[in-house]
Amino acid sequence: MRIKKGFVLRDVCGEKVIMGEGLGALDFGKLLCLNETAAWLWERAVAAGDFTAEDLAKALCDEYDVDAARALADVAAIVGEWQKVNVLE
């Protein structure tokens, strides 16, 4: 999977939010607030281009002291939220 074109992470009043720009904004029409870890994962996903939940979970384990199973469960939940709001392809 990958982040759809037109969706970006911005800092708005101290909050990390995903917002649509250009054509991405037409169907999105909202801001999605992310916590620090979710924003970090978004940045990794953007940098990777194509990614899997397993790729992001491994990156999370490499960066933070977290159990692999817990990392995968957390990443799967975050990616699931991104899929619900249709920012992934």
Side-chain angles (χ1 to χ4, degrees), residues 46-64:
V46 168
D50 290 316
F51 65 91
T52 65
E54 291 80 8
D55 296 334
L56 294 181
K58 181 179 181 328
L60 192 60
C61 288
D62 291 346
E63 183 72 16
Y64 298 98

Side-chain angles (χ1 to χ4, degrees), residues 17-62:
V17 297
I18 297 171
M19 58 190 343
E21 289 186 338
L23 294 177
L26 293 177
D27 292 330
F28 195 56
K30 59 186 156 201
L31 301 176
L32 180 65
C33 292
L34 302 182
N35 67 23
E36 181 181 334
T37 304
W40 185 89
L41 289 168
W42 179 273
E43 291 168 345
R44 300 290 84 65
V46 168
D50 290 316
F51 65 91
T52 65
E54 291 80 8
D55 296 334
L56 294 181
K58 181 179 181 328
L60 192 60
C61 288
D62 291 346

